[in-house]
Amino acid sequence: MNGVVSDKFSVSPMHLLFVMYVSLVSSGTMSFQHDIAFSAGHDAWISVIIATLYIALLVWMMFFILNRQKQEQAYLVSINNRYFGKTLGTAVNLILILYLVIGSFVAFRNYLQIIHVWVFPHSTTWPIGLFILLIVYYAISGGFQSVTGLCLWGTISIFIFIIPQLITVATRLHLDNILPVFNHPIAEIATSSKQMTHEFTRCEILLIAYPFIREQKKAKRWAYWAVLVCGLLYLLLSMYAIVYFSQGQLEQISWPTLSLFSTLDYPLMQRMETLLITIWIVKILAIISLGLWAACHSMKLTTKTKQRTSLKIFMGVIVILLYFTKNEEQAQMVTNLYSSVGEYVLFLYIPLLFAISLFMKKRLKEE
Amino acid sequence: MGCRVNYKVPLLISALSLLLASCGNEQVIDQIELVQTAGYDMDDQKVLTSILIGDYSEKEKTRVKLLTTTSNNSYDMIPLLNFKTNNPIEYGQMRMMVFGEDYAQRNIGPILKFLGQDVSISGNLQLAVANNKAAELLAATIPAHDPLFLMDMILQNSDKANLPHSDLQSILYNFYDEGRDVFLPHLSLDKDKNALSDGIVLFKDGSGGKLVQHKGNKEALWLKMLLENGKNGTLELPMEDVNNKREPFAFMQIVTSKASFKNKTTMIGTQPSYAVDVKLTAKVVLKGIPDQNSGADGTLLQTKLEKYISDELEQFIRFCCKAGIDPVGFGSFFRGKVRGWSASEFYAAYPSMKSNVTANVQILKSGTQK
Amino acid sequence: MQSSQHELTTIDEFLAACRQSSDFITIDLSFMLTAPTTFKLSYYKTLVDKAKLSHIIKSLQEVEPSASLTRIEELVAHIPIDGIQLTDEVETIQSGVLKGFLLVHNDKELHLNALVPLISKNGLRTSNETEEEFSVVGPKVGFVEDVDYNLQLVRLQLNSPDLIIKEITVGTLSKTRVSLLYLKEAANQENVAKIEKRIKSLNFDVIFDTTQLDQLIADNSFTPFPLFITTERRDRVVYSLILGQVAVVCDGSPYFITGPSNLFDFFVSPEDYYTPWLLGSFFRAIRIFGVVFSMLASAMYVAIITFHYDIIPKELLGRLVYSRQSVPFPPLVEALFLEITVEFLREAGARLPSRIGQTLGIVGGIILGQAAVEASLTSNVLIIIVSLSALASFVTPIYKMSNAIRFLRFPIIFLAAIWGSLGIALGVTIIIIHLSQLRSLGYPYTVPFFPLRTKDLKDSLVRSSYSKINSRPSFLKPATTIRYVPKKAKVKRDFDEE
């Protein structure tokens, strides 16, 4: 009952696990092994651990920042307004909102790319894209609880599916590939870790969703659990990619997670990657919805725009972006832009907030 | 909540109907021709592609159609073959690909890269090299009424006989791994024009997938024992027989086998001198041996057998070293053990790699013998 | 309450209105009795129990001529029936007479009248075996179309003063008695108040059945999913009451609705609790699998045949291609054709008497199916899939849920025909989003999964043993949580030791 939002719209602390999980395990899950293996080779899994530890640190910082606020002001928009002043704060907020929208677009566009390459190579993907957006609108119109529900099912469905598959694949691994450990210089592992943090660029959603969590004291634990689960999932997937493919092969494959499952053969089904793409759609919808919900909610707090209106505007932005990113290179450009902004958010913005709140700690008690 | 949803319903329905009209990626299963086995041959500098299509119009009997076409490259078989069929050809169900000997003599690297990048092609695709022309081999399987006859044959031989397992995924793994070379199963025709699996073909990746040598079923078994915890391999065991009372060969069946490698590399200055200990443990069943496997004779037989197997393995490894090919993956083994390993250095030293094979064989009793 | 009838203010007006019907009868007792009296009896002869009436008249005739019957109390004392009300309120008299009460009145003393309950139960079925929710194990006690009898059945099993029944009258024309039941020690008072408020604020003319009430008080009418459990089984109602839910029944309906319900309640059969928990869990899991299968099987067929030929394993390929070989329609049309045929069969079977229904099933199922395959209108693989999924849709213990599932099949088949497996996934996602937005009496519909309540999972997908499920589901926010104290867990003993 001690949340700022009424019980009717908030969720119990355990659900932070799913919200955080969805914001951390993003659309890159299908392809990140390819990216991180470029610099760190078979030591790429070390960079996954490093990146996860950094994210755990960030989550700790975010909770620190939130705890420094008055309870009813513990959310991103008000923090920005308080720390940077009204004008600059609003500017920062607007940039972050745009960043969230672009983040949703990147997840959306990457998934359409996967569909285009793996499922419907001969037809256009915009109709299914529009339909996905309609569903996203429906999900967000149900409010935060509905988005959380989607996050929960997105999390559960993937776990139920992916774990048995990984066990089945386990007979085909070349465990030698991991050896020798630490065969790459620190610089290469660092580059790869930085690459890995691109998967975590949505973690600031915690700051936005926080007021919607009931019994916030208990919530911290679940956020760390989410980081742990994501870290383990990424670690497992990267390890699998390293020991399942040879190094040269990994550099050739764009979506290692999907290729992992393409040799599986069951009595009723083969080509499990199709099924994985299918089930993955729930997760993608959750990512897009969560990002857009966060954007709409922040927009409302910043400019008092109705969420319904801003959601329509953001959908329009996504459709326009979709129209302008016709080929893969343009889509890649947007993704790269998003990732580089994401680096600023992860390495500059959140630590900066943390630093400010370290110095402003007294103010809370004076007020 | 109800009212909020209401106006969305017509929107949804109109969107649906619009999209129903706009979709066009159908591949209805009975309106396509499914390539299940394909073959590539060289034919006067052109590529001769032959495919087997399963025709399931009769209930119990599958008819197999063979189509061939020639082209200047290996990649446009589908459009060219489409000229010859009433339904579009799709290759998502292709599970077997055979290279003719002359095609495989040319480098197989480009086609492997092509196969690896096409998402329609399953990682379970079996590849093989034909003794002569792939088209002939495909034609020979038509009477079997199974467009995947060759695939089943290879799988059966990998599971129950001497062939090491291989599929597109593992072949690509070997191909792209700098410490390993590709091997493919070898198929040929016997004198009655029946397809026959006989051994393996070894390639060298370094030069883009160059065919090096064909090896028989015996070598296939040695490779299998070194690569996987093999089961079900069989072998003819030469028996020295002073009295000439029996057939000169006994029959050995491997029940289980396990090979373990130990790194014995020593550094001479900065230059490592590569050496490996291979230890093979196996359980075998022997047939065609007189009642001598008791007491001292038993141990004698066992020692002989161990020596035979270790000698043969040693010989196989020596052959690979001399030819500079590495189907066993010694390169990737040393990469994991020796820091600062590099492919070029290793393969320069590879012919002089030292190996020491010890076999540890246990003879199991079979049948009702006492 | 607004009403189309004009208010009748006096008894005379009311009686005059009644006399327009030919079945309204007034007997003047002064001609029939030996004792002097001025009273009259008025009643609808179609509503009262004639045997009781003649019994009353007979016993009044036996009264000594010397006795005084001039006051209503004196007369009533001679009527051998319980529950006689003395009243002068026109409204009470009106609704009483219209329900089958006998009105005792005289022309002089208008201010005091007696209502004698003589309600005839003729026309109600006497058998109360469960018909729709049949079970092999366990009691077969069901409800009938009489509210008093139904309430009696519930009270007999819940032998506690904690069982509270509140009666509300609903319906401007029907004046239906609606009873609200809850267990005081279990139910959350907020839920009781909420449902009572919703029923009281209803404005409706005739309530035929509790299922109508269900829709009228539901949180959201734009959904195929039932938001309250509808049941005719006594054990199910009692079990819901124990868990802390509220039950509602209206007169004239053999169904109770219980709520707040969640999705998984609809897959629970009372039989789960009569069989050992291992078997109970297994059958419950089978039921849920059946529902998922029923919803997706035909759509999967359409998706695979239309788009994903490459995921068919090679062993099945030949069969599928052969069975589709000479079918002239696209898979979507083929599937819709068969699905609609099955719906016809079901609908026709439901409207016909059971014997004809059986014949119809055989004709439809076997002959039609056979002929359709012979004529190459459909593939026989699809016939198998469609009939399996029709079968599977009936495994849900609650009929309304199986309706919802059968309905949802169609949009998913359409989506499968557009985008293959992706379409199916999108359809399922829409359903998931819809489900997580649904509320039953303000409670989330998909608890205990979303919002996740780990404590309540032990009686959702599986049914744990009685020692584990001794508490009421926490998502109902019950008044007290513990139902009973289970036996202490056994200490782990070594083999062959006590």
Side-chain angles (χ1 to χ4, degrees):
Chain A
M1 262 306 261
N2 54 7
V4 184
V5 179
S6 104
D7 263 11
K8 233 178 162 180
F9 307 110
S10 58
V11 294
S12 63
M14 193 189 224
H15 293 90
L16 189 61
L17 171 69
F18 305 110
V19 172
M20 280 300 282
Y21 173 85
V22 165
S23 61
L24 292 181
V25 178
S26 62
S27 56
T29 319
M30 297 287 152
S31 55
F32 74 99
Q33 302 102 324
H34 172 79
D35 303 332
I36 59 175
F38 257 116
S39 39
H42 67 263
D43 283 332
W45 59 276
I46 301 170
S47 56
V48 174
I49 297 180
I50 295 173
T52 312
L53 287 177
Y54 180 70
I55 294 305
L57 179 72
L58 276 191
V59 170
W60 178 79
M61 282 186 191
M62 286 194 276
F63 274 112
F64 186 87
I65 298 166
L66 288 168
N67 287 338
R68 282 280 181 264
Q69 314 300 320
K70 276 198 282 184
Q71 198 170 32
E72 60 277 9
Q73 285 176 356
Y75 53 87
L76 187 66
V77 172
S78 111
I79 294 171
N80 280 335
N81 283 339
R82 194 181 144 203
Y83 286 2
F84 301 118
K86 189 76 190 157
T87 333
L88 193 58
T90 309
V92 172
N93 284 333
L94 288 177
I95 291 170
L96 280 173
I97 289 165
L98 191 65
Y99 170 73
L100 287 166
V101 175
I102 304 281
S104 289
F105 171 75
V106 166
F108 175 62
R109 188 67 186 77
N110 281 345
Y111 186 69
L112 285 188
Q113 185 66 27
I114 291 178
I115 294 179
H116 184 65
V117 172
W118 288 81
V119 191
F120 296 130
H122 307 303
S123 65
T124 52
T125 46
W126 65 263
I128 195 167
L130 288 187
F131 194 69
I132 288 177
L133 287 183
L134 273 182
I135 299 177
V136 167
Y137 184 93
Y138 180 43
I140 298 178
S141 67
F144 184 68
Q145 284 191 341
S146 157
V147 174
T148 314
L150 198 55
C151 290
L152 177 129
W153 294 112
T155 311
I156 291 179
S157 61
I158 283 298
F159 267 92
I160 288 179
F161 177 78
I162 228 169
I163 298 298
Q165 307 295 326
L166 287 179
I167 293 169
T168 329
V169 171
T171 53
R172 305 185 52 125
L173 304 180
H174 300 82
L175 292 175
D176 280 0
N177 284 4
I178 290 284
L179 299 170
V181 183
F182 287 122
N183 206 28
H184 291 75
I186 301 291
E188 283 178 6
I189 292 178
T191 322
S192 157
S193 306
K194 202 179 83 181
Q195 183 71 34
M196 186 63 211
T197 53
H198 291 174
E199 303 304 319
F200 297 120
T201 44
R202 287 174 186 80
C203 67
E204 75 284 349
I205 285 180
L206 172 66
L207 292 174
I208 301 165
Y210 189 68
F212 285 80
I213 309 295
R214 258 173 260 157
E215 299 166 64
Q216 292 172 339
K217 290 229 167 57
K218 287 186 194 163
K220 214 170 187 169
R221 187 167 50 132
W222 293 112
Y224 289 122
W225 268 109
V227 175
L228 181 67
V229 169
C230 296
L232 285 179
L233 182 76
Y234 277 126
L235 186 63
L236 202 63
L237 285 177
S238 61
M239 288 266 212
Y240 258 78
I242 289 164
V243 296
Y244 185 81
F245 303 107
S246 50
Q247 271 313 307
Q249 202 182 357
L250 197 53
E251 281 163 24
Q252 297 283 325
I253 300 174
S254 311
W255 288 283
T257 309
L258 290 175
S259 299
L260 257 179
F261 300 129
S262 71
T263 49
L264 291 179
D265 228 341
Y266 294 110
L268 272 175
M269 222 181 151
Q270 56 184 24
R271 313 297 291 274
M272 297 311 284
E273 72 269 22
T274 313
L275 193 61
L276 179 60
I277 294 172
T278 304
I279 294 179
W280 188 246
I281 214 169
V282 186
K283 183 65 197 311
I284 291 294
L285 279 164
I287 296 173
I288 304 172
S289 309
L290 188 63
L292 281 183
W293 172 85
C296 293
H297 183 68
S298 307
M299 193 74 179
K300 184 181 181 183
L301 295 172
T302 318
T303 61
K304 303 207 165 49
T305 323
K306 269 193 173 178
Q307 295 198 43
R308 204 174 288 284
T309 325
S310 53
L311 179 56
K312 277 172 197 155
I313 294 169
F314 293 151
M315 295 242 155
V317 170
I318 287 183
V319 171
I320 292 167
L321 277 174
L322 183 63
Y323 180 78
F324 282 114
T325 53
K326 284 217 177 78
N327 57 38
E328 205 185 332
E329 287 73 39
Q330 288 159 337
Q332 195 54 48
M333 223 173 66
V334 180
T335 311
N336 291 342
L337 177 79
Y338 173 72
S339 304
S340 42
V341 178
E343 279 175 20
Y344 285 109
V345 171
L346 293 183
F347 295 111
L348 194 69
Y349 172 68
I350 296 177
L352 181 69
L353 284 186
F354 175 70
I356 298 176
S357 41
L358 269 183
F359 290 114
M360 288 179 74
K361 61 182 175 184
K362 291 287 176 213
R363 220 180 107 180
L364 181 70
K365 278 168 192 164
E366 288 162 15
E367 274 170 345
Chain B
M1 191 147 61
C3 347
R4 201 192 309 162
V5 191
N6 269 340
Y7 73 95
K8 257 181 276 165
V9 174
L11 195 83
L12 221 106
I13 290 170
S14 56
L16 260 180
S17 52
L18 195 144
L19 299 173
L20 197 59
S22 75
C23 73
N25 205 37
E26 293 190 358
Q27 302 162 321
V28 181
I29 192 170
D30 55 323
Q31 288 157 17
I32 49 177
E33 300 284 343
L34 298 173
V35 181
Q36 289 177 299
T37 301
Y40 283 105
D41 284 307
M42 290 309 291
D43 185 22
D44 279 350
Q45 296 307 309
K46 286 192 165 193
V47 178
L48 171 75
T49 315
S50 39
I51 55 167
L52 288 184
I53 293 173
D55 176 2
Y56 297 100
S57 53
E58 280 173 69
K59 192 170 186 180
E60 299 299 332
K61 216 171 178 185
T62 313
R63 280 187 295 155
V64 180
K65 283 193 279 192
L66 175 71
L67 292 177
T68 56
T69 186
T70 47
S71 137
N72 289 319
N73 65 49
S74 311
Y75 314 114
D76 61 350
M77 67 165 188
I78 299 297
L80 287 176
L81 288 166
N82 266 338
F83 291 136
K84 301 188 177 182
T85 56
N86 55 344
N87 285 323
I89 292 180
E90 295 289 344
Y91 55 98
Q93 282 279 356
M94 185 164 72
R95 296 293 294 276
M96 178 75 220
M97 185 174 268
V98 186
F99 301 123
E101 179 141 41
D102 42 4
Y103 188 90
Q105 293 286 1
R106 235 175 54 154
N107 291 347
I108 59 161
I111 186 87
L112 283 184
K113 281 181 189 160
F114 169 70
L115 292 175
Q117 277 159 12
D118 194 326
V119 293
S120 298
I121 287 170
S122 160
N124 283 327
L125 179 76
Q126 297 289 326
L127 297 173
V129 173
N131 176 14
N132 195 5
K133 287 273 180 211
E136 274 175 39
L137 192 68
L138 261 54
T141 64
I142 291 178
H145 290 296
D146 181 359
L148 288 174
F149 179 84
L150 292 175
M151 183 200 86
D152 288 334
M153 192 167 84
I154 289 178
L155 284 182
Q156 183 266 113
N157 273 294
S158 311
D159 286 344
K160 305 282 182 197
N162 295 7
L163 217 52
H165 283 92
S166 70
D167 57 17
L168 182 62
Q169 157 57 24
S170 65
I171 290 162
L172 287 173
Y173 180 93
N174 293 348
F175 181 71
Y176 285 115
D177 194 352
E178 47 190 355
R180 238 173 239 275
D181 285 325
V182 174
F183 63 89
L184 291 182
H186 186 264
L187 303 174
S188 59
L189 291 172
D190 70 357
K191 56 183 185 301
D192 301 326
K193 292 272 170 203
N194 285 323
L196 163 82
S197 148
D198 63 340
I200 47 171
V201 188
L202 303 174
F203 288 83
K204 189 169 182 167
D205 306 339
S207 39
K210 190 174 174 311
L211 187 146
V212 174
Q213 196 164 4
H214 166 221
K215 286 281 179 186
N217 270 329
K218 197 167 80 173
E219 281 81 4
L221 179 64
W222 301 137
L223 182 58
K224 184 175 184 170
M225 285 166 86
L226 289 172
L227 276 177
E228 37 192 286
N229 298 339
K231 269 185 190 172
N232 294 324
T234 56
L235 187 68
E236 283 177 331
L237 196 61
M239 300 296 293
E240 50 203 78
D241 188 20
V242 265
N243 306 332
N244 241 352
K245 277 182 197 161
R246 294 181 280 110
E247 294 168 343
F249 289 96
F251 171 77
M252 182 183 90
Q253 183 177 16
I254 292 171
V255 181
T256 60
S257 83
K258 185 172 166 45
S260 54
F261 299 82
K262 214 166 204 165
N263 174 24
K264 291 282 176 188
T265 305
T266 46
M267 299 300 275
I268 304 170
T270 51
Q271 210 58 17
S273 145
Y274 292 102
V276 63
D277 269 7
V278 182
K279 196 178 163 209
L280 186 94
T281 41
K283 289 180 180 171
V284 300
V285 170
L286 291 176
K287 283 168 189 167
I289 307 280
D291 314 327
Q292 54 172 212
N293 50 347
S294 56
D297 274 352
T299 25
L300 189 66
L301 183 69
Q302 190 183 340
T303 332
K304 266 189 202 166
L305 194 57
E306 283 172 354
K307 178 148 177 22
Y308 175 74
I309 291 178
S310 54
D311 283 354
E312 287 283 330
L313 280 174
E314 184 78 52
Q315 220 174 330
F316 179 72
I317 294 171
R318 282 269 66 79
F319 160 76
C320 292
C321 288
K322 280 219 185 72
I325 48 174
D326 190 5
V328 185
F330 286 113
S332 80
F333 170 71
F334 283 117
R335 183 184 53 202
K337 303 289 178 201
V338 181
R339 258 174 212 280
W341 180 91
S342 94
S344 52
E345 278 173 27
F346 174 75
Y347 284 106
Y350 183 53
S352 60
M353 182 188 84
K354 292 191 194 71
S355 60
N356 175 29
V357 184
T358 43
N360 187 355
V361 180
Q362 190 188 345
I363 302 168
L364 299 178
K365 291 180 180 179
S366 74
T368 55
Q369 66 175 199
K370 181 147 188 176
Chain C
M1 198 184 291
Q2 284 183 332
S3 159
S4 53
Q5 303 163 299
H6 60 277
E7 292 291 323
L8 299 166
T9 44
T10 67
I11 290 179
D12 273 339
E13 267 177 43
F14 168 63
L15 290 176
C18 289
R19 286 199 184 97
Q20 292 170 15
S21 301
S22 54
D23 60 343
F24 188 78
I25 289 174
T26 305
I27 324 174
D28 197 340
L29 282 177
S30 54
F31 302 116
M32 299 171 75
L33 302 190
T34 45
T37 181
T38 55
F39 286 99
K40 293 175 181 170
L41 301 178
S42 291
Y43 59 95
Y44 277 100
K45 74 172 177 194
T46 42
L47 286 177
V48 300
D49 192 331
K50 292 197 183 65
K52 280 185 190 167
L53 181 66
S54 56
H55 182 58
I56 291 173
I57 293 174
K58 205 170 158 200
S59 47
L60 286 175
Q61 281 168 340
E62 281 166 9
V63 175
E64 297 283 311
S66 56
S68 159
L69 286 178
T70 47
R71 289 184 56 216
I72 195 150
E73 290 88 348
E74 290 165 352
L75 183 86
V76 164
H78 290 284
I79 296 179
I81 298 272
D82 294 335
I84 298 172
Q85 285 172 265
L86 293 179
T87 179
D88 58 346
E89 287 165 35
V90 183
E91 251 176 59
T92 322
I93 292 171
Q94 184 178 343
S95 66
V97 168
L98 286 169
K99 273 178 194 157
F101 281 64
L102 177 75
L103 177 69
V104 184
H105 59 106
N106 68 4
D107 297 334
K108 293 169 198 158
E109 279 185 280
L110 285 177
H111 62 275
L112 208 54
N113 303 283
L115 282 171
V116 183
L118 286 185
I119 302 166
S120 161
K121 305 266 170 173
N122 290 342
L124 294 176
R125 66 191 159 108
T126 47
S127 141
N128 69 334
E129 263 190 44
T130 53
E131 288 189 343
E132 190 193 297
E133 297 162 66
F134 190 77
S135 74
V136 182
V137 190
K140 279 124 190 119
V141 181
F143 294 116
V144 295
E145 284 84 349
D146 176 36
V147 67
D148 292 316
Y149 185 73
N150 292 346
L151 293 178
Q152 178 199 355
L153 283 178
V154 174
R155 244 202 212 290
L156 279 177
Q157 198 153 56
L158 269 182
N159 217 329
S160 155
D162 259 356
L163 173 65
I164 293 174
I165 300 177
K166 286 191 178 175
E167 198 170 296
I168 307 162
T169 309
V170 181
T172 48
L173 284 177
S174 63
K175 298 273 190 294
T176 311
R177 292 164 56 198
V178 174
S179 298
L180 184 74
L181 287 77
Y182 62 94
L183 207 58
K184 202 177 164 200
E185 66 164 53
N188 186 341
Q189 283 303 319
E190 260 179 53
N191 296 346
V192 179
K194 214 184 281 175
I195 206 162
E196 198 179 348
K197 197 179 137 210
R198 286 193 194 178
I199 293 173
K200 275 187 176 153
S201 62
L202 275 185
N203 182 12
F204 205 69
D205 50 2
V206 179
I207 302 277
F208 293 101
D209 194 55
T210 323
T211 47
Q212 266 178 313
L213 208 61
D214 169 5
Q215 298 173 43
L216 292 171
I217 62 172
D219 304 51
N220 180 359
S221 61
F222 191 76
T223 171
F225 291 98
L227 293 178
F228 294 104
I229 293 255
T230 313
T231 179
E232 57 163 5
R233 288 182 68 99
R234 171 169 75 165
D235 46 1
R236 194 183 259 280
V237 171
V238 171
Y239 193 71
S240 313
L241 291 174
I242 299 171
L243 293 185
Q245 291 172 333
V246 183
V248 175
V249 65
C250 72
D251 194 14
S253 167
Y255 294 107
F256 275 62
I257 55 173
T258 61
S261 312
N262 62 63
L263 184 63
F264 299 94
D265 283 346
F266 290 87
F267 303 108
V268 171
S269 162
E271 246 175 286
D272 297 350
Y273 298 96
Y274 303 145
T275 43
W277 66 270
L278 268 176
L279 299 181
S281 302
F282 174 69
F283 292 127
R284 200 179 279 182
I286 289 273
R287 241 173 265 142
I288 289 167
F289 171 73
V291 165
V292 174
F293 177 85
S294 161
M295 207 145 78
L296 302 182
S298 310
M300 296 247 254
Y301 173 85
V302 172
I304 289 172
I305 297 291
T306 319
F307 296 102
H308 310 292
Y309 71 93
D310 52 349
I311 71 167
I312 305 168
K314 56 186 195 303
E315 293 81 4
L316 274 176
L317 189 65
R319 310 263 149 109
L320 275 176
V321 176
Y322 171 72
S323 79
R324 267 287 302 176
Q325 199 71 47
S326 43
V327 178
F329 310 122
L332 171 67
V333 178
E334 188 195 0
L336 284 181
F337 169 70
L338 267 191
E339 286 286 352
I340 289 174
T341 311
V342 170
E343 290 305 302
F344 282 162
L345 279 174
R346 191 196 56 78
E347 200 57 32
R351 304 286 156 258
L352 287 171
S354 62
R355 270 185 212 158
I356 306 178
Q358 273 176 15
T359 326
L360 191 88
I362 294 165
V363 170
I366 299 174
I367 302 185
L368 258 182
Q370 191 78 28
V373 171
E374 298 263 300
S376 299
L377 289 179
T378 59
S379 73
N380 40 22
V381 176
L382 183 61
I383 291 228
I384 297 171
I385 290 174
V386 168
S387 29
L388 262 183
S389 60
L391 192 68
S393 75
F394 291 109
V395 297
T396 50
I398 304 288
Y399 182 66
K400 279 199 256 159
M401 189 45 109
S402 85
N403 284 345
I405 285 149
R406 285 206 320 274
F407 167 75
L408 287 174
R409 275 217 289 261
F410 289 92
I412 294 183
I413 289 176
F414 270 106
L415 282 171
I418 304 174
W419 292 306
S421 62
L422 291 176
I424 299 180
L426 287 173
V428 171
T429 318
I430 296 175
I431 294 175
I432 287 175
I433 297 172
H434 179 69
L435 282 174
S436 44
Q437 292 182 359
L438 277 183
R439 296 280 182 276
S440 166
L441 220 58
Y443 288 81
Y445 193 56
T446 44
V447 281
F449 283 90
F450 175 76
L452 194 59
R453 298 277 178 271
T454 36
K455 269 181 205 159
D456 304 323
L457 285 175
K458 56 196 173 200
D459 194 8
S460 56
L461 286 182
V462 294
R463 197 281 274 183
S464 309
S465 77
Y466 278 120
S467 59
K468 296 277 189 304
I469 52 169
N470 65 322
S471 58
R472 306 196 160 89
S474 65
F475 54 81
L476 291 172
K477 297 180 184 140
T480 54
T481 46
I482 302 297
R483 273 171 59 196
Y484 52 86
V485 182
K487 262 193 284 182
K488 287 268 158 59
K490 280 178 204 157
V491 185
K492 273 204 176 168
R493 290 189 167 79
D494 202 4
F495 308 123
D496 303 326
E497 265 179 31
E498 274 200 36

